[in-house]
Amino acid sequence: MEKIIKLSCPYCRTETQWQNNPSRPFCSERCRMIDLGRWDNEEYAVAGEKVREPADDPDETSFP
Amino acid sequence: MTEESNYSGDSIQVLEGLEAVRKRPAMYIGSTSTQGLHHLVYEVIDNSIDESLAGYCDEILVNIHEDNSITVEDNGRGIPVEIIEKYQKSAAEVVMTILHAGGKFDDKGEGAYKVSGGLHGVGVSVVNALSSHLELEIRRAGKIYRQRYNKGVPEAPLEEYGSTIKRGTKITFWPDSAVFETVNFNFETLSQRFREMAFLNAGVRIKITDERSDKFYEFMYEGGIRSFVEYLNRAKSPLHPAPIYFHGKKENAEIEIAIQYNDGFDEKVFSFANNINTHEGGTHLSGFKAALTRTMNTYATANNLLKNVKIAISGDDLREGIAAVISIKIPDPQFEGQTKTKLGNSEIKGHVEALMNDQLAMFLEENPQVAKKILEKGIEAARAREAARKARDLTRRKGALEGLSLPGKLADCQEKDPALCEIYLVEGDSAGGSAKQGRDRRYQAILPLKGKILNVEKARFDKLLTSNEIKTLITAMGAGIGKDDFNIAKLRYHRIIIMTDADVDGSHIRTLLLTFFFRQMPEIIERGHLYIAQPPLYKVKRGKKELYLKDDDTLLDYLLDTGTEGVALEMDNGRKIVRGKQIIPMLRYIIDYNMHFDKIVNRGIPAQILSIFLRGKIRNGFADQPTLEPLVEQLRQIEPMARFDLMDDPDRIIVRLGNLHARIDRQTVEILSTHEYKLLTQAYRQVEDICADHPVVISVEGKQEQEVNNRQDLLDAILSRAKKGQYIQRYKGLGEMNPDQLWETTMNAEKRILLQVAIEDAVRADEIFTVLMGDQVEPRREFIEMNALNVVNLDV
């Protein structure tokens, strides 16, 4: 038998499942549509690398 | 309410007889189904609630007996027993036998009850008429009275039969099975209604017992409707701990409102008028809604919370995740609507609105943190509503998204059968160019996509797919979007291959694409149409031999393999000889150790000092000591060449060793308790013996070549041997590959390795994506670099 995949709705985090769910992976059509709107509205950005400042703490390795 | 005498025989008015009730029961109690049956109980209990509203009753007992008869008993004043002149009957009998009789119908305005449940206004006489038997017991003024009825007709006048110190009314009735379709009471239905009544009438205790099944509930809520909203939120996380509560009186109307938001999206607003659930709402509800919308918006504007919000916050937005109860009590409720559950008194809207405007505004001023949370939620709801509207627009743009006009950026293939077609989603124009030239145009299509870079804050750049890219993608797929329009049968390619650079940017674009497919076109993943290409990261050239390696790990494997070919190591002064591939695990231990070592050094311990710690097998435990003196003792023994001084500050050790001047403090010592340090000590155990006492002699093909004195030199010697005569190129991006190379390594169906995306992988990727969208930077980095996507390996 097919394993039931449980997941949380990507929008509202309600517990839902993949199987027998026409709005999968969302819990509802509402959540799916909101998500689509957010893609269209360019609201999904993957946070980029934070450029690291070079560690310069002279106190760490030198002694006055 | 000081005088009990008000509620006496005089205040009873008689309106009508009971004949009609048995003829047309549905006219009085709605129906003769289960609903009508339960209605009988509500009529009886309403009288008790009236007593409690008037302040004379605080406990009501309801018993469902085995024969489906019901007893309702209260500790109120007891129905009056005086003889009413007009009828020459006791007041109690009048109440029990004449329709619309009861204290509440005294329209002089000075009657026993200013406000009453008046549920359906028909009174307990209807219950009597529709019961095969009814027994009435009244305890009043120290005496007990009783009377029995059959189908509403008394067997005898009210009789006095004893004395008591208690007071109250007790009615037991047997619903007439000739009238009702069923006489089977439902315990849960009754309980639900009683719970509601207990909420609406703070302090009243209602106990219900089902003798048929021994079930029992007791309802009593000191908090009244405050407890009600907490109950409505019982399975949710409230946004603020205590419900917001207002009450007050406007003219004749007593108004009570309780509100508590939760983190969900449902709107649960219940309105009541004189304890009746006004399912259809009415003027009190309209007043509530208008005040909520207006006051919240006024507050938000005044406090500059809407400055970045381009859309208005509507009432609907402000009621997402709200649990609220509005309860009003008025002398003359008018019920309208299909089920007579809509309050019609027009003046009430203004009363509720005025009270709530005042008190909510005050609450928000006094509780700015709660106000902010609620408004943030409302703003979020407004944004969500706007997003959904945009999405609907997108899905309705029929034609444009269905491949009628293919995007200009798409280099399509010649083949038309989707089962044979592939599309490569390629990041960037230059890679797209190589891919277009390198592909087999008969069946491979190329769609270059560019991730837009967003400068969010200094030194951080976020990546996103533009709205245009999304539309291009949907169009190229040809299957539409949205519940009604998406049609997998129209998908133009049965292999959709994401091909991005092997760097962090590439993995960001890949994550975005994967997430989009997963959320908006899950069928594509379900049917196994989505793949990830594996372009190489390195090209290694030795003489005429060319080799492509997909990542750092495979490059290292390759270097260790070639570097140890024909090599033998003499260790421990020749006592131990390790040859060829046997050397590899040892080298891996060194690499592993270096990695852990560097990690700790990065956290601020000078390498020399860390080495001393490792050599001395110093473990944690020093952090708990009052001073670092015990550590100093130990360090002096391990490294006599160095000077360790505990200066004036017992938490700071000064170390001098050769040119090194360093400091060990509490923070340094705390690193010793970390998991990373534990891993380092484990790795150290594997390598500490290498080159410890004797140099290692490296020989190649039996010839001694080199002697090394430490681990690092050993590793370097092997790696530089491996690199000798090789040309190693690291591809910074797909664009650096020429079309032939890209074809050869990544696109040629006979040689390439594709990873097929499975649902489980996508579920995980989506969770990662959710983390990536958040502000937590650390988990994000780990996710994306370690296991951004574990996909099933599949040779295609």
Side-chain angles (χ1 to χ4, degrees):
Chain A
M1 213 185 81
E2 197 183 5
K3 201 179 133 238
I4 299 280
I5 298 172
K6 301 243 181 230
L7 67 163
S8 4
C9 170
Y11 180 68
C12 74
R13 314 311 302 163
T14 307
E15 278 292 306
T16 182
Q17 66 174 47
W18 188 273
Q19 284 82 0
N20 305 320
N21 173 7
S23 305
R24 66 189 179 277
F26 296 91
C27 67
S28 63
E29 211 46 38
R30 173 190 189 270
C31 285
R32 182 217 281 276
M33 292 301 274
I34 290 172
D35 180 73
L36 182 57
R38 293 176 86 159
W39 286 103
D40 189 43
N41 207 29
E42 304 187 355
E43 287 178 46
Y44 288 128
V46 172
E49 278 302 276
K50 196 150 201 154
V51 180
R52 284 208 173 193
E53 308 277 317
D56 52 351
D57 187 359
D59 213 28
E60 207 71 37
T61 46
S62 68
F63 179 64
Chain B
M1 299 285 173
T2 49
E3 286 181 51
E4 297 192 10
S5 58
N6 256 12
Y7 186 42
S8 67
D10 291 339
S11 65
I12 305 286
Q13 286 186 352
V14 179
L15 301 176
E16 244 190 272
L18 285 180
E19 283 300 306
V21 179
R22 285 187 66 85
K23 265 189 196 155
R24 292 207 183 98
M27 264 190 62
Y28 297 87
I29 54 163
S31 75
T32 55
S33 63
T34 313
Q35 232 181 343
L37 178 77
H38 288 82
H39 200 127
L40 299 183
V41 189
Y42 308 150
E43 281 291 350
V44 178
I45 200 172
D46 270 352
N47 287 337
S48 304
I49 292 288
D50 284 347
E51 273 295 273
S52 92
L53 285 178
Y56 296 105
C57 157
D58 61 9
E59 186 168 85
I60 302 166
L61 311 175
V62 180
N63 258 316
I64 311 172
H65 304 292
E66 291 204 33
D67 60 354
N68 272 307
S69 61
I70 287 207
T71 300
V72 177
E73 184 177 355
D74 67 41
N75 63 353
R77 287 168 294 180
I79 304 178
V81 295
E82 297 88 333
I83 299 296
I84 292 189
E85 306 255 328
K86 183 175 165 191
Y87 297 100
Q88 285 303 301
K89 288 173 183 168
S90 68
E93 188 179 323
V94 171
V95 169
M96 296 307 296
T97 54
I98 296 178
L99 205 61
H100 288 178
K104 56 184 107 165
F105 286 92
D106 185 341
D107 61 5
K108 280 185 292 191
E110 299 291 322
Y113 305 123
K114 289 209 175 70
V115 166
S116 96
L119 178 52
H120 317 95
V122 289
V124 71
S125 54
V126 171
V127 179
N128 196 9
L130 299 176
S131 296
S132 51
H133 305 287
L134 184 144
E135 287 176 8
L136 170 69
E137 188 179 297
I138 297 163
R139 272 157 286 178
R140 189 175 165 99
K143 299 203 169 68
I144 306 178
Y145 304 87
R146 64 180 177 190
Q147 191 171 25
R148 275 182 61 92
Y149 302 85
N150 298 310
K151 296 179 184 169
V153 181
E155 287 180 0
L158 189 71
E159 91 178 294
E160 183 188 320
Y161 85 110
S163 55
T164 178
I165 51 160
K166 289 186 184 172
R167 59 175 209 189
T169 306
K170 178 177 172 185
I171 290 172
T172 304
F173 64 97
W174 286 258
D176 194 340
S177 56
V179 174
F180 291 95
E181 292 160 26
T182 168
V183 291
N184 200 357
F185 287 103
N186 183 314
F187 176 72
E188 292 303 328
T189 306
L190 290 175
S191 298
Q192 206 181 326
R193 171 78 181 150
F194 296 158
R195 178 185 283 120
E196 205 173 273
M197 299 194 114
F199 280 132
L200 291 169
N201 301 282
V204 180
R205 187 179 306 276
I206 304 178
K207 296 179 182 173
I208 173 168
T209 308
D210 190 344
E211 291 173 0
R212 301 167 304 180
S213 60
D214 283 333
K215 279 192 259 182
F216 172 77
Y217 279 136
E218 179 173 334
F219 305 113
M220 206 285 284
Y221 303 98
E222 286 292 356
I225 62 169
R226 271 164 289 195
S227 308
F228 201 163
V229 294
E230 284 171 343
Y231 176 77
L232 294 173
N233 279 335
R234 66 196 180 282
K236 312 262 177 164
S237 314
L239 223 54
H240 47 103
I244 305 166
Y245 176 75
F246 320 118
H247 67 112
K249 205 168 170 188
K250 294 270 174 188
E251 291 175 20
N252 279 332
E254 278 179 50
I255 302 164
E256 248 195 313
I257 295 166
I259 303 166
Q260 188 183 39
Y261 282 86
N262 62 59
D263 65 359
F265 305 104
D266 291 345
E267 172 184 339
K268 277 190 196 160
V269 180
F270 290 90
S271 62
F272 297 85
N274 293 7
N275 288 334
I276 295 161
N277 191 335
T278 39
H279 295 281
E280 294 174 87
T283 49
H284 52 346
L285 183 63
S286 320
F288 168 83
K289 286 183 176 176
L292 183 74
T293 311
R294 188 179 144 190
T295 309
M296 288 288 188
N297 270 296
T298 307
Y299 178 85
T301 310
N303 289 275
N304 217 11
L305 296 173
L306 300 179
K307 56 177 185 287
N308 296 322
V309 188
K310 292 173 202 111
I311 28 172
I313 311 178
S314 71
D316 285 334
D317 298 332
L318 287 164
R319 293 193 304 275
E320 261 197 21
I322 197 175
V325 174
I326 307 144
S327 172
I328 65 156
K329 284 167 183 153
I330 47 173
D332 55 340
Q334 292 151 27
F335 294 104
E336 303 168 347
Q338 291 221 308
T339 56
K340 297 274 172 219
T341 55
K342 183 175 179 181
L343 187 70
N345 305 50
S346 53
E347 74 283 4
I348 297 301
K349 178 171 189 278
H351 291 340
V352 173
E353 210 173 332
L355 178 95
M356 178 138 153
N357 275 336
D358 280 1
Q359 300 206 19
L360 181 59
M362 206 188 319
F363 175 88
L364 297 175
E365 289 301 338
E366 286 168 4
N367 299 275
Q369 274 154 343
V370 176
K372 191 160 173 258
K373 274 188 190 167
I374 295 172
L375 280 157
E376 274 169 2
K377 190 171 168 60
I379 290 165
E380 161 83 7
R383 289 214 172 104
R385 183 171 46 83
E386 178 66 9
R389 191 190 60 74
K390 280 195 142 193
R392 276 193 301 276
D393 288 352
L394 189 67
T395 59
R396 279 177 195 154
R397 288 198 325 148
K398 279 223 170 225
L401 297 177
E402 286 176 359
L404 295 179
S405 56
L406 286 168
K409 287 163 77 181
L410 174 73
D412 210 0
C413 56
Q414 294 155 351
E415 178 61 55
K416 292 296 164 215
D417 178 2
L420 304 174
C421 291
E422 298 182 345
I423 184 167
Y424 276 84
L425 308 178
V426 187
E427 174 201 2
D429 287 336
S430 66
S434 287
K436 277 179 192 175
Q437 290 173 52
R439 69 179 172 146
D440 183 335
R441 65 177 63 243
R442 284 172 301 172
Y443 71 99
Q444 292 181 320
I446 308 291
L447 181 64
L449 293 169
K450 211 158 53 184
K452 181 173 153 189
I453 292 170
L454 202 68
N455 192 348
V456 183
E457 52 184 74
K458 239 195 325 190
R460 204 186 100 188
F461 298 93
D462 285 6
K463 278 230 162 180
L464 59 80
L465 292 170
T466 64
S467 167
N468 270 335
E469 308 267 47
I470 297 285
K471 281 170 193 142
T472 301
L473 190 62
I474 296 168
T475 314
M477 294 299 118
I481 192 84
K483 189 177 81 172
D484 300 323
D485 296 326
F486 182 80
N487 182 357
I488 189 90
K490 287 190 182 165
L491 188 65
R492 300 178 63 244
Y493 314 90
H494 282 192
R495 274 198 195 125
I496 299 155
I497 303 159
I498 301 173
M499 185 162 74
T500 55
D501 289 346
D503 58 9
V504 175
D505 273 357
S507 74
H508 283 180
I509 300 288
R510 188 174 64 209
T511 305
L512 283 164
L513 286 169
L514 269 170
T515 308
F516 179 74
F517 279 115
F518 171 70
R519 292 185 176 183
Q520 295 298 336
M521 301 183 180
E523 283 101 325
I524 285 180
I525 299 176
E526 271 173 330
R527 293 178 187 231
H529 293 322
L530 191 60
Y531 298 85
I532 290 170
Q534 291 218 285
L537 192 58
Y538 295 100
K539 179 171 128 179
V540 180
K541 205 168 164 188
R542 187 183 213 171
K544 285 191 170 169
K545 221 176 102 186
E546 273 186 354
L547 202 64
Y548 295 96
L549 300 170
K550 72 171 165 64
D551 53 21
D552 291 315
D553 283 346
T554 42
L555 176 67
L556 182 64
D557 285 346
Y558 171 76
L559 290 176
L560 292 177
D561 263 355
T562 38
T564 54
E565 240 167 64
V567 171
L569 302 181
E570 267 178 60
M571 307 176 81
D572 270 355
N573 229 351
R575 275 190 288 269
K576 188 175 159 196
I577 294 178
V578 190
R579 288 175 210 284
K581 290 211 183 311
Q582 293 171 323
I583 303 167
I584 295 174
M586 193 196 297
L587 299 173
R588 283 195 178 281
Y589 280 131
I590 298 174
I591 291 163
D592 192 40
Y593 165 77
N594 286 347
M595 183 194 80
H596 287 295
F597 191 89
D598 290 347
K599 246 190 208 172
I600 305 274
V601 169
N602 278 337
R603 295 183 60 162
I605 300 188
Q608 290 102 318
I609 292 183
L610 185 55
S611 297
I612 298 172
F613 282 165
L614 286 168
R615 264 187 288 138
K617 304 218 182 317
I618 294 202
R619 299 283 184 268
N620 57 353
F622 293 100
D624 306 330
Q625 306 270 344
T627 81
L628 292 179
E629 211 163 341
L631 179 62
V632 171
E633 300 287 317
Q634 220 173 321
L635 288 170
R636 283 179 183 146
Q637 287 181 13
I638 301 160
E639 185 52 88
M641 305 284 287
R643 271 192 63 188
F644 299 95
D645 293 311
L646 210 56
M647 304 299 270
D648 302 338
D649 181 353
D651 280 343
R652 184 180 289 201
I653 304 170
I654 303 301
V655 187
R656 292 155 200 257
L657 173 63
N659 291 331
L660 172 77
H661 297 271
R663 182 183 87 188
I664 300 172
D665 57 18
R666 288 250 159 217
Q667 239 182 323
T668 320
V669 176
E670 268 157 24
I671 295 175
L672 300 181
S673 328
T674 60
H675 185 61
E676 282 98 333
Y677 184 72
K678 201 178 157 200
L679 292 175
L680 174 62
T681 58
Q682 284 166 1
Y684 179 71
R685 236 172 283 149
Q686 300 290 349
V687 298
E688 60 180 328
D689 293 334
I690 303 170
C691 300
D693 301 318
H694 305 282
V696 170
V697 179
I698 304 174
S699 44
V700 181
E701 313 292 355
K703 237 175 67 193
Q704 287 200 2
E705 283 213 340
Q706 201 180 346
E707 206 175 87
V708 289
N709 286 304
N710 65 54
R711 294 182 287 267
Q712 193 55 47
D713 288 352
L714 172 62
L715 180 64
D716 290 346
I718 300 288
L719 289 181
S720 66
R721 220 188 87 71
K723 288 177 192 163
K724 216 158 82 187
Q726 311 230 35
Y727 171 70
I728 300 174
Q729 184 191 358
R730 187 184 201 278
Y731 294 118
K732 286 194 197 74
L734 294 168
E736 284 186 4
M737 266 185 251
N738 65 43
D740 289 346
Q741 289 172 333
L742 198 56
W743 164 256
E744 203 54 34
T745 59
T746 317
M747 298 178 73
N748 180 352
E750 284 168 16
K751 291 187 181 167
R752 73 184 174 193
I753 294 173
L754 294 181
L755 302 179
Q756 188 178 35
V757 180
I759 299 164
E760 289 88 342
D761 308 319
V763 171
R764 216 159 33 227
D766 191 83
E767 280 160 7
I768 293 160
F769 181 78
T770 308
V771 172
L772 294 179
M773 301 302 305
D775 295 327
Q776 294 164 294
V777 178
E778 265 322 302
R780 176 186 62 72
R781 191 197 314 284
E782 277 169 37
F783 266 132
I784 204 137
E785 286 170 7
M786 308 284 288
N787 59 350
L789 197 79
N790 299 308
V791 275
V792 191
N793 206 337
L794 185 97
D795 293 311
V796 178

